[in-house]
Amino acid sequence: SMSLMFSAYFGGLFILVGSLILWRITSHQSLEPLPMPKVYLSTFAALIIVSGLLCFLLDRKVFVGLRPWMKVPLYTVLGSAVSFAMTFAIVDVLNYVIGLCQTAVSKPIVESAQQVFLVLGVSLAMGLVFGFTFGVLDVEDEDQFHLRMALMRDERYSEPIGLLLGALAGFTLEFIRQRDDYSMLAAGKTEFDEDI
């Protein structure tokens, strides 16, 4: 990290977000018979908490001069935690806002186990790629005057991959959602059959 205040802020934020996600996962009542997605979501929430603890333990001075391949595993873990935390928060807020804006009972954006696995997989892939790129380009070893250029170089490599993975995930999420709707209609059921 660049400063003690910066690492304390992000460390505390990661621990808070990871704890909130873990609390939300464990307190959620689900009609699904398989709790498998909860196990994976809980694992990712624990990863975010561990990343928050790593923010307190790591100092920039400790890693200066280390080879990039020694830093890449750490950055891939941190990148995955950041990516998953942002994805989980954005999807949760979107589900809430869509529920508020619709008059009838709305179907969440991410509902089925396949959709949860897709979001987890894409978050993990994005985080791994972003962390790998950051570590390989050795951005953090740049001096203060060249840091901005190094971050812009990292962005140039990361943005197309993020756009591609994000678009692919969004398309696939909607495809799974529509497929589930059509398969229910073909079977002569509606999403309200369980409520009746």
Side-chain angles (χ1 to χ4, degrees), residues 4 9 17 21 29 31-32 58 67 128 139-140 162-163 165 175-176 185-186 193 195:
L4 184 60
Y9 172 75
V17 168
I21 291 172
Q29 299 297 323
L31 297 175
E32 292 182 9
L58 301 178
R67 298 273 183 213
L128 290 173
V139 172
E140 67 130 44
L163 285 170
L165 286 173
F175 176 78
I176 292 170
L185 288 175
D193 283 352
D195 295 335

Side-chain angles (χ1 to χ4, degrees), residues 26-196:
T26 57
S27 68
H28 179 70
Q29 299 297 323
S30 178
L31 297 175
E32 292 182 9
L34 295 174
M36 291 275 270
K38 284 187 177 185
V39 171
Y40 293 121
L41 289 170
S42 299
T43 303
F44 275 91
L47 177 71
I48 294 170
I49 294 170
V50 167
S51 296
L53 295 173
L54 284 175
C55 287
F56 287 113
L57 298 175
L58 301 178
D59 186 16
R60 182 178 184 194
K61 295 172 189 146
V62 174
F63 291 100
V64 171
L66 288 178
R67 298 273 183 213
W69 63 269
M70 296 176 80
K71 295 183 252 184
V72 166
L74 172 71
Y75 291 131
T76 55
V77 169
L78 289 173
S80 297
V82 170
S83 181
F84 176 72
M86 295 234 356
T87 303
F88 189 88
I90 289 169
V91 167
D92 215 22
V93 167
L94 280 175
N95 280 339
Y96 181 73
V97 169
I98 287 173
L100 287 177
C101 294
Q102 293 183 347
T103 57
V105 176
S106 63
K107 187 175 182 179
I109 294 173
V110 176
E111 180 181 46
S112 69
Q114 285 181 320
Q115 290 174 317
V116 171
F117 286 130
L118 176 68
V119 169
L120 288 175
V122 171
S123 309
L124 180 64
M126 275 189 183
L128 290 173
V129 168
F130 297 156
F132 181 80
T133 306
F134 189 84
V136 167
L137 293 178
D138 211 14
V139 172
E140 67 130 44
D141 276 348
E142 296 290 337
D143 60 15
Q144 190 171 9
F145 302 109
H146 294 104
L147 185 61
R148 185 179 184 112
M149 293 299 291
L151 287 171
M152 288 172 57
R153 185 179 68 224
D154 182 48
E155 268 183 31
R156 188 180 62 216
Y157 291 117
S158 299
E159 280 179 350
I161 296 168
L163 285 170
L164 179 68
L165 286 173
L168 182 65
F171 175 77
T172 308
L173 278 174
E174 188 59 26
F175 176 78
I176 292 170
R177 187 175 182 207
Q178 295 298 325
R179 187 191 65 199
D180 291 346
D181 286 346
Y182 289 130
S183 65
M184 284 179 64
L185 288 175
K189 298 179 181 179
T190 66
E191 58 191 46
F192 304 109
D193 283 352
E194 293 175 1
D195 295 335
I196 297 177

